[in-house]
Amino acid sequence: MSEPKPPTPTPGDTYKGWLFKWTNYIKGYQRRWFVLSNGLLSYYRTQAEMGHTCRGTINLATANIAVEDSCNFVISNGGAQTYHLKASSEVERQRWITALELAKAKAVRMQAESDDSGDDCPAVPPASGQGGGCRNSEIQSTLRTLNSKVEDLSTCNDLIVKHGSALQRSLSELEAIRVGGEMGEKIRQVTERATLFRITSNAMINACRDFLSLAQNHSKRWQKALQTERDQRIRLEETLEQLAKQHNHLERAFRGATVLPPSLSNLTLGTKGGVSGKGDASDEDDDNEFFDAMEDPAEFITVPADPKYHRRSGSNVSGFSSETGMDDQSFDELSLASNPESPQPLELEPVRQRRTRIPDKPNYYLNLWSIMKNCIGKELSKIPMPVNFNEPLSMLQRLSEDLEYYELLDKAAKCQNSLEQMCYVAAFTVSSYSTTVHRTGKPFNPLLGETFELDRLRECGYRSLCEQVSHHPPAAAHHAMSEKGWTLRQEIALASKFRGKYLSIMPLGSIQCIFDKSNNHYSWKKVTTTVHNIIVGKLWIDQSGEIDVVNHKTGDRCHLKFAPYSYFSRDVPRKVTGVVTDKDGKAHYVLSGTWDEKMEFSKIMQSSKGENGTEGKQRTVYQTLKPKEIWRKNPLPEGAENMYFFSSLALTLNEHEEGVAPTDSRRRPDQRLMEEGRWDEANAEKQRLEEKQRIARREREREAVKAASSPEEADAQETGTEASEVSESTHPDNYQALWFEKIDDTVSGEALHVYKGGYWEAKEQGSWDMCADIF
């Protein structure tokens, strides 16, 4: 049974009906019940929700109404709220447009009248929370109803005056006439006018009764609401007064505990260097769900050092050796890690103009259910995911992106002091996460044997090679070498856990950095990456966990802590803090900042034990010099939001290069098709490549079975028995990486793949006969 068509809207009418509202790329358009009343457009999931739950309200007085096509239109109030709506037909869309335009005109007119009235009628403050718009709508609706009743009373008053005057004239005429034939006519006129007066008076009385009843009912509610607001204000004032007293008490207690001079009253609790606050990274819609992490208490406190430590002298100052004084001088007068003995940097000129744009990301609608319903009962690793969830880069290219801030390692290579060098290495570990803040797309899983080279030797002084060395479990090996005297190598495997609302990605394996001049050997591991709102809402990424950067030669250590996002935390989002200590555990530097913006370091001049924290742990108080910036994120290129939020380096990673290996990720066809916006072809090509890889793996397993089988088993295989199928599961894939070899690392104590050489020589000769045909 079809729904009845709504009447054509007229000015002042309440207009209701079903519309389709755009929610997100996963859910698409959803059917919602919209109500237009008194210049406000509200929507609900169902008609039954109208009495208790409003999903959103937009004020038409400040809104723009735009028609997109025959059925679609957009309502926006300047960026804070935007509704993308779709009607069931063009006629229905026109009805809504007419109603909205009329309501907007009336709302603008009433707002102008309200502005002209000054302070005679104080505005109702908007209520907070999701239902604030609906409560405001209810109050405004009541006020407009009362105003309508007042207008009715005014109209009735005018009619009473008019009919009363006519009745008075009839009575005067009745007194003046003579008794006769005119009597009957005059009495009839008087009777009619008296009847009109009575009807008008009754209408007046009824309107007065309605107004009085409505005013009495809402007056009680408004008085109660006003009293509640007054009580809340009083409680807030009392709470603020208590907080001010507690803050004052804590400052006095802190000064007493640390025995600091009175001038040092500016504390930074738990910020480890005084990181300035930031605004929100992005606007979240009302479907978002926040990950409420437990907020750990600050492990240490930093305060400005006594001014005496800023005097640059080589003599001992309050127990500090002259060596400490000289270290301070080198940090203040010279840039960190620069010294006269360091070799001057080579002048590197770009050898080619790199691209700065890729095709914009298409806006394809994705039906998540059509994918998930075909995955029921399958293993997660064997579910064919479409490229709609991907970005046009492979995991090997994402690993190479760690080198975007290679200058940090260049500066670290010049350091004479291992503790200074540790600061740069720690900043480099944090910088590798800066590109992930908006990158919600999944990189392509590399095919077994796939490689990726990043040759920036003439431009930046380094070259890098990645290879997918294992498929089950997936693992990639990475080797980078710089002419500035450092080598970076890593082997990363990923483990993931789906938690319902979010996906946790745990990188396995270690990263190592070796400096040629000092032979300092550093190693560390990556933190956990969490992707939130997997099913519903806008995807967002967080990094959390702890990293220990260890210098295996000197015993120096930097403990970095990535604070998980908490909706109720007072700290800046994405905060990272760390302390650099020597082999004896003495702290020398404090690092602080955020993994998506910048890092700063401060030299520690003195440390002491402060009061116990919230959990009874005694926190260390560090007196530090003024923090200095050690790393800052490069700005994203213009239009990055339409190019998968790629950085300037990421835009060049899939650019065509001459002379690369046939297994290079740049030659991968499905990835190239996706970058060009041909997603349907990319999906088909992706399935072809994955099936080709499965066939190659089964062939290797059969070869491994045949090599390990006895002659009797081999005869059984030739006669068609299932011995091979039985043995196949007992013989693993015997794949050997082409450019990397597996060794037992003495530093980490783990088995890992290291570069064995030969790739760059093969590229120079143009000889790739040893490469497999994987594409």
Side-chain angles (χ1 to χ4, degrees):
M1 184 175 180
S2 61
E3 297 178 0
K5 294 182 178 181
T8 301
T10 57
D13 284 348
T14 297
Y15 197 62
K16 305 176 182 178
W18 290 101
L19 287 172
F20 292 90
K21 178 181 178 294
W22 175 261
T23 55
N24 52 54
Y25 286 102
I26 295 179
K27 298 169 65 177
Y29 283 95
Q30 297 293 317
R31 196 166 181 252
R32 297 289 184 261
W33 179 256
F34 280 80
V35 176
L36 172 61
S37 177
N38 300 312
L40 298 171
L41 180 65
S42 305
Y43 74 93
Y44 311 82
R45 285 187 178 174
T46 62
Q47 292 175 264
E49 283 190 346
M50 289 180 59
H52 54 85
T53 305
C54 177
R55 299 292 173 176
T57 300
I58 191 168
N59 189 350
L60 296 179
T62 58
N64 295 321
I65 304 171
V67 178
E68 288 189 331
D69 52 32
S70 60
C71 295
N72 292 44
F73 58 99
V74 179
I75 304 174
S76 174
N77 62 354
Q81 289 176 294
T82 301
Y83 293 170
H84 294 266
L85 305 176
K86 181 168 68 174
S88 57
S89 65
E90 186 174 359
V91 175
E92 179 67 13
R93 186 218 66 189
Q94 190 56 46
R95 286 198 184 102
W96 275 101
I97 293 296
T98 303
L100 291 167
E101 293 290 356
L102 292 172
K104 178 182 177 181
K106 186 174 181 180
V108 171
R109 184 172 63 254
M110 294 185 68
Q111 187 177 40
E113 294 173 356
S114 175
D115 293 340
D116 294 339
S117 65
D119 295 332
D120 294 339
C121 298
V124 180
S128 61
Q130 191 176 24
C134 296
R135 288 193 291 272
N136 190 24
S137 173
E138 180 184 359
I139 293 174
Q140 293 188 17
S141 175
T142 304
L143 291 175
R144 283 169 172 75
T145 303
L146 290 174
N147 185 58
S148 176
K149 294 296 181 182
V150 171
E151 292 177 356
D152 292 343
L153 288 175
S154 178
T155 303
C156 291
N157 181 66
D158 294 339
L159 291 174
I160 286 177
V161 173
K162 177 182 176 182
H163 295 315
S165 300
L167 180 59
Q168 186 64 41
R169 287 196 303 272
S170 297
L171 291 174
S172 300
E173 291 172 357
L174 186 60
E175 292 175 354
I177 64 171
R178 298 185 300 273
V179 178
E182 295 181 300
M183 179 64 72
E185 181 64 23
K186 292 298 181 183
I187 291 175
R188 187 180 62 80
Q189 291 179 3
V190 171
T191 304
E192 290 178 355
R193 289 172 180 174
T195 302
L196 288 173
F197 186 85
R198 179 175 54 82
I199 293 173
T200 305
S201 300
N202 289 337
M204 180 75 169
I205 293 170
N206 292 335
C208 289
R209 185 185 299 113
D210 293 341
F211 180 86
L212 180 61
S213 175
L214 191 62
Q216 287 176 341
N217 292 338
H218 288 282
S219 176
K220 294 177 182 179
R221 296 175 57 187
W222 291 342
Q223 287 178 359
K224 185 178 179 180
L226 179 60
Q227 186 61 39
T228 302
E229 293 293 333
R230 287 174 177 170
D231 295 340
Q232 288 182 353
R233 187 193 65 186
I234 293 173
R235 285 195 296 269
L236 284 174
E237 290 175 350
E238 293 174 351
T239 303
L240 286 174
E241 184 178 357
Q242 292 176 0
L243 288 174
K245 292 179 180 178
Q246 292 176 3
H247 183 267
N248 191 23
H249 172 72
L250 287 173
E251 280 192 339
R252 291 198 303 269
F254 177 74
R255 291 195 186 99
T258 56
V259 199
L260 295 179
S263 61
L264 303 180
S265 59
N266 296 326
L267 311 182
T268 305
L269 298 178
T271 59
K272 308 172 183 64
V275 183
S276 60
K278 301 190 307 175
D280 291 336
S282 61
D283 294 331
E284 306 290 350
D285 59 25
D286 51 8
D287 286 332
N288 279 1
E289 295 184 29
F290 294 97
F291 178 64
D292 183 21
M294 296 299 293
E295 184 178 3
D296 294 331
E299 297 177 357
F300 59 86
I301 305 171
T302 59
V303 297
D306 193 289
K308 65 185 178 182
Y309 294 125
H310 293 273
R311 294 197 300 267
R312 299 180 176 88
S313 64
S315 60
N316 292 349
V317 181
S318 299
F320 282 89
S321 64
S322 59
E323 181 181 352
T324 304
M326 292 303 293
D327 285 345
D328 183 25
Q329 181 179 0
S330 67
F331 265 74
D332 283 355
E333 295 182 351
L334 305 173
S335 62
L336 181 64
S338 64
N339 55 77
E341 298 179 1
S342 300
Q344 295 298 318
L346 298 177
E347 292 295 331
L348 300 173
E349 298 181 359
V351 295
R352 58 174 291 184
Q353 184 67 33
R354 303 287 177 181
R355 68 180 184 181
T356 59
R357 288 198 62 85
I358 61 174
D360 287 353
K361 178 182 179 181
N363 186 16
Y364 287 145
Y365 173 74
L366 177 63
N367 187 344
L368 182 63
W369 173 243
S370 65
I371 300 169
M372 300 302 293
K373 69 181 181 181
N374 296 323
C375 302
I376 297 174
K378 294 183 179 180
E379 294 182 21
L380 187 62
S381 61
K382 297 183 178 180
I383 295 176
M385 301 302 288
V387 299
N388 304 58
F389 294 105
N390 288 43
E391 62 179 19
L393 289 178
S394 74
M395 190 63 194
L396 302 181
Q397 291 164 317
R398 285 291 290 267
L399 281 179
S400 301
E401 277 192 78
D402 288 357
L403 297 170
E404 179 168 2
Y405 300 96
Y406 67 92
E407 300 98 335
L408 292 169
L409 296 181
D410 289 349
K411 294 176 182 179
K414 302 174 186 177
C415 289
Q416 301 295 314
N417 187 311
S418 63
L419 294 169
E420 298 175 8
Q421 190 177 71
M422 175 66 81
C423 292
Y424 274 109
V425 175
F428 177 78
T429 66
V430 176
S431 70
S432 63
Y433 297 98
S434 62
T435 61
T436 65
V437 61
H438 300 301
R439 299 273 289 277
T440 57
K442 171 184 173 294
F444 279 77
N445 290 331
L447 301 174
L448 188 60
E450 185 175 336
T451 60
F452 178 73
E453 69 161 71
L454 185 62
D455 192 351
R456 295 288 193 269
L457 196 61
R458 296 179 61 186
E459 296 166 88
C460 307
Y462 74 87
R463 55 175 29 164
S464 158
L465 177 66
C466 293
E467 181 181 1
Q468 186 76 359
V469 296
S470 174
H471 189 63
H472 285 294
H478 181 207
H479 179 87
M481 178 274 299
S482 172
E483 292 181 334
K484 302 296 182 65
W486 55 264
T487 301
L488 183 75
R489 66 190 187 197
Q490 58 180 319
E491 180 177 347
I492 298 296
L494 298 178
S496 60
K497 291 185 179 180
F498 181 59
R499 307 286 187 177
K501 294 182 181 179
Y502 59 92
L503 178 69
S504 295
I505 303 171
M506 290 79 69
L508 308 177
S510 63
I511 307 168
Q512 300 183 12
C513 187
I514 302 101
F515 292 95
D516 300 341
K517 186 176 180 180
S518 61
N519 289 323
N520 285 333
H521 191 147
Y522 296 85
S523 70
W524 66 91
K525 296 180 182 293
K526 287 182 174 287
V527 296
T528 299
T529 300
T530 307
V531 184
H532 295 269
N533 295 340
I534 291 293
I535 301 298
V536 178
K538 184 178 180 180
L539 292 176
W540 61 280
I541 290 177
D542 191 25
Q543 312 286 351
S544 61
E546 298 181 1
I547 295 178
D548 280 316
V549 185
V550 181
N551 185 338
H552 296 277
K553 178 184 176 183
T554 64
D556 301 338
R557 182 181 298 265
C558 178
H559 181 73
L560 293 170
K561 183 175 181 181
F562 289 65
Y565 177 80
S566 175
Y567 184 71
F568 302 101
S569 175
R570 291 172 295 177
D571 287 328
V572 294
R574 309 177 184 93
K575 187 175 75 169
V576 181
T577 54
V579 179
V580 176
T581 58
D582 57 22
K583 62 180 180 179
D584 299 322
K586 180 182 177 182
H588 291 264
Y589 295 100
V590 167
L591 291 102
S592 60
T594 57
W595 53 263
D596 68 324
E597 184 181 6
K598 67 177 181 178
M599 288 295 293
E600 296 176 335
F601 71 95
S602 307
K603 185 172 179 60
I604 299 173
M605 305 308 298
Q606 185 177 359
S607 63
S608 59
K609 295 296 182 181
E611 286 189 332
N612 291 341
T614 56
E615 295 183 355
K617 297 179 180 179
Q618 195 171 33
R619 294 184 293 186
T620 304
V621 180
Y622 294 128
Q623 293 187 44
T624 64
L625 297 180
K626 183 180 179 181
K628 297 180 181 180
E629 187 173 282
I630 191 171
W631 164 77
R632 178 175 288 275
K633 178 185 176 183
N634 297 327
L636 291 176
E638 184 179 357
E641 66 277 4
N642 299 321
M643 300 183 293
Y644 309 89
F645 287 98
F646 280 178
S647 64
S648 298
L649 174 63
L651 289 174
T652 67
L653 294 181
N654 208 41
E655 188 175 10
H656 287 287
E657 294 266 358
E658 295 296 333
V660 298
T663 55
D664 196 273
S665 298
R666 300 176 181 88
R667 299 182 182 273
R668 183 165 174 167
D670 54 348
Q671 188 173 298
R672 180 67 59 187
L673 289 169
M674 183 193 177
E675 181 185 284
E676 295 171 355
R678 299 153 63 184
W679 285 16
D680 291 336
E681 299 174 59
N683 279 320
E685 192 65 20
K686 183 172 180 287
Q687 293 184 17
R688 182 189 69 82
L689 291 175
E690 290 173 349
E691 182 59 30
K692 182 177 182 180
Q693 181 174 237
R694 294 188 193 100
I695 294 174
R697 184 187 181 193
R698 287 195 291 266
E699 182 63 29
R700 288 194 304 272
E701 289 175 345
R702 280 195 293 268
E703 292 295 331
V705 170
K706 188 178 296 183
S709 298
S710 61
E712 293 79 6
E713 290 176 333
D715 294 340
Q717 291 176 32
E718 293 176 359
T719 57
T721 61
E722 298 180 355
S724 62
E725 297 178 6
V726 175
S727 301
E728 190 170 325
S729 61
T730 62
H731 294 283
D733 188 355
N734 59 352
Y735 177 79
Q736 298 292 328
L738 183 58
W739 308 110
F740 289 79
E741 61 181 350
K742 198 169 187 177
I743 64 169
D744 291 326
D745 183 43
T746 57
V747 173
S748 64
E750 301 174 353
L752 76 160
H753 286 80
V754 296
Y755 179 61
K756 64 182 180 181
Y759 179 87
W760 303 108
E761 293 79 6
K763 180 182 179 181
E764 186 176 350
Q765 298 170 7
S767 175
W768 302 112
D769 297 338
M770 71 292 291
C771 294
D773 178 18
I774 61 174
F775 298 144

